[in-house]
Amino acid sequence: MADAMDERTRGLEEEYFSRKNKEAIEKLRAKIKVAEEAKAAGTSSMKCPRCDGALKETKFEEVLIDVCDNCGGVWLDSGELDQLTRQSETGGWFSRLWYAEG
Ligand SMILES: [Zn+2]
């Protein structure tokens, strides 16, 4: 009896998780679609975390950064800061800013 009950619970759990996985995959697909459409339109898929304005990809010193078209906030993806600092080892403004003392 107890075993049968366990199996039934397990079956329900599996069903629950496979449904959750499916939902997650569908959400991810929708997200990718939005990102692709945004990319085609020349905008980043991301909304500004500060004001909900649209983030636009802007090339700055050969690095693509996201700039909010509403509040002017600048957002960096992972690796972009690294690119900016590395690049400025050649003496860009960013290295002066980043490595400035005091
Ligand atoms: Zn903004």
Side-chain angles (χ1 to χ4, degrees), residues 3-4 8 19 27 36 38 43 74:
D3 283 352
R8 199 170 159 236
R19 196 163 52 215
K27 267 184 199 163
E36 278 172 355
T43 53
V74 176

Side-chain angles (χ1 to χ4, degrees), residues 14-49:
E14 270 167 24
E15 196 193 310
Y16 174 81
F17 282 116
S18 71
R19 196 163 52 215
K20 278 280 156 198
N21 277 341
K22 216 179 147 197
E23 278 174 20
I25 288 165
E26 274 166 14
K27 267 184 199 163
L28 192 65
R29 278 195 186 135
K31 217 172 165 183
I32 289 167
K33 195 168 171 265
V34 167
E36 278 172 355
E37 282 169 1
K39 207 170 185 181
T43 53
S44 163
S45 61
M46 277 173 64
K47 288 259 177 214
C48 175

Side-chain angles (χ1 to χ4, degrees), residues 46-55 67-73 75:
M46 277 173 64
K47 288 259 177 214
C48 175
R50 191 187 290 154
C51 73
D52 264 9
L55 297 182
V67 182
C68 175
D69 66 356
N70 190 38
C71 72
W75 309 97

Side-chain angles (χ1 to χ4, degrees), residues 3 5-7 10 19 23 28 36-37 40 43 54 64 84 91-92 97-98 102:
D3 283 352
M5 194 69 172
D6 276 356
E7 249 165 56
R10 209 168 299 142
R19 196 163 52 215
E23 278 174 20
L28 192 65
E36 278 172 355
E37 282 169 1
T43 53
L64 273 177
L84 278 173
L97 181 78
W98 192 249

